[in-house]
Amino acid sequence: MKILAITACTAGIAHTYIAKEKLENAAKELGDSIKVETQGSIGVENELTPEDVRDADVILISADIRVNKERFKGKPVVEIPISTVMKSPKGVINKIHEKLGK
């Protein structure tokens, strides 16, 4: 499965980047591809492109701040608190597999 994700916490420092790393590791272990955009204190990094969005199976938004979802129209979007990814990144991805049947 091709997953695109956004991570963003209220401070935009530690949890944003820890969640990114946890998602990347979990996806790799589960055999999925993932690209994670971070919206941290230094701005947007690893920005998701229109091509990324076109090719994605699902968009995962793990954020405690508001994230603009306009660019994801027509794609399944899963929104969860960043704390959920911090606790169980593999569980999050497994649940997405279940919901999407992929």
Side-chain angles (χ1 to χ4, degrees):
M1 180 166 52
K2 287 187 174 188
I3 303 168
L4 293 185
I6 295 177
T7 60
C9 66
T10 52
I13 304 172
H15 287 128
T16 297
Y17 301 99
I18 293 169
K20 174 187 184 287
E21 185 176 328
K22 285 181 177 274
L23 284 171
E24 288 172 339
N25 291 337
K28 183 179 178 182
E29 286 181 39
L30 295 169
D32 295 312
S33 67
I34 190 167
K35 180 176 179 180
V36 183
E37 173 182 297
T38 55
Q39 296 185 8
S41 59
I42 58 174
V44 173
E45 293 179 282
N46 205 30
E47 187 169 4
L48 305 176
T49 67
E51 292 79 19
D52 293 329
V53 174
R54 182 193 66 225
D55 296 339
D57 293 311
V58 65
I59 313 299
L60 170 61
I61 299 174
S62 177
D64 293 335
I65 62 171
R66 187 181 172 282
V67 171
N68 184 349
K69 297 180 291 278
E70 281 292 309
R71 59 187 164 152
F72 306 129
K73 283 190 176 185
K75 291 289 179 177
V77 176
V78 176
E79 294 184 77
I80 58 169
I82 203 163
S83 61
T84 305
V85 165
M86 299 292 286
K87 292 176 190 162
S88 182
K90 275 203 241 181
V92 167
I93 293 174
N94 281 327
K95 189 61 106 175
I96 291 170
H97 277 277
E98 286 175 31
K99 294 269 186 195
L100 296 180
K102 293 192 179 217

